Amino acid sequence: MTVPDWLRTVVAVAVYWTAIALGGSVLLADPTSPLVAIPILGGGAVVAHAARTDRLVELGYAVGTMWLAVLAVSVGTGVVDLVAAPDGEIAPLAGSPGAAALGTVGLFGVLVVAYAAFSRRRAGRDGSDPE
């Protein structure tokens, strides 16, 4: 049984958009914060561009890169909290509004830069225009 291309695209768009929304808002302590619009709306714009320009594979690599950044931030925060708070009290990074805002914007920035880099790499390999 073969899966129609349109269905494959719809599923890829849904999965990537969900991964971007979850990964981009992981540092927000309040899920109703206005900052949640960055990964949701911005992620929607990036996914729409990828679907329109047939760059869903490059978007997949960019989403994976963003999640590697989430992992790096999580591990780095744990190490810093362990070293900085030797009495065992771990202060959550998301509790700080400045850190949450910087992290959310930073993670979205990682996604956009990685998407542009992977798209540019494909364009260079194919000899086509990245837009």
Side-chain angles (χ1 to χ4, degrees), residues 67-93:
W67 274 97
L68 284 174
V70 169
L71 177 64
V73 167
S74 299
V75 170
T77 301
V79 169
V80 168
D81 280 345
L82 186 63
V83 171
D87 56 354
E89 245 181 71
I90 297 177
L93 177 66

Side-chain angles (χ1 to χ4, degrees), residues 104-127:
T104 300
V105 172
L107 288 173
F108 184 71
V110 166
L111 173 79
V112 170
V113 168
Y115 176 62
F118 286 118
S119 292
R120 204 172 303 276
R121 180 176 169 217
R122 176 182 168 188
R125 192 177 47 219
D126 294 347

Side-chain angles (χ1 to χ4, degrees), residues 2 10 13 37 56 93 111:
T2 61
V10 166
V13 164
L56 288 173
L93 177 66
L111 173 79

Side-chain angles (χ1 to χ4, degrees), residues 5 10 14 24 27 32 34 39 46 51 55 59 63 71 81 88 91 96 98 112 118 124:
D5 284 342
V10 166
L27 296 175
T32 61
V46 172
R55 301 214 185 270
L59 179 62
V63 170
L71 177 64
D81 280 345
S96 169
V112 170
F118 286 118

